[in-house]
Amino acid sequence: MSDTSAADLKLELEVLLRRAGVAVPPDRMEAVLSGYADLKRMCALLRQPRTAAAEPSNTFSLVTLVNGV
């Protein structure tokens, strides 16, 4: 997201809010914009490619936990 300027990010958010029909009060827009920027950063981290080594090494079965076996 480093290649996205603050003005571009604000425009993107305004378009998305308009499409959704959401009206954000002007005094809260900066906070919403900050949260949107954080969300975009977190989504980029979540959606990056991962190898099998990044997966958990153990699994849990609810059947085993419920039956006590």
Side-chain angles (χ1 to χ4, degrees):
M1 199 185 91
S2 61
D3 60 342
T4 304
S5 72
D8 290 342
L9 188 66
K10 186 173 183 176
L11 180 62
E12 179 182 333
L13 176 61
E14 288 172 351
V15 168
L16 291 172
L17 290 172
R18 198 173 308 124
R19 281 184 186 170
V22 176
V24 176
D27 61 327
R28 297 189 182 193
M29 189 60 178
E30 288 303 315
V32 171
L33 183 59
S34 176
Y36 180 65
D38 289 343
L39 181 65
K40 283 192 66 138
R41 273 193 297 276
M42 287 184 250
C43 286
L45 286 173
L46 182 66
R47 293 180 178 150
Q48 66 184 345
R50 289 181 176 72
T51 65
E55 295 296 323
S57 62
N58 50 1
T59 59
F60 299 93
S61 169
L62 291 177
V63 174
T64 303
L65 295 175
V66 171
N67 294 333
V69 178

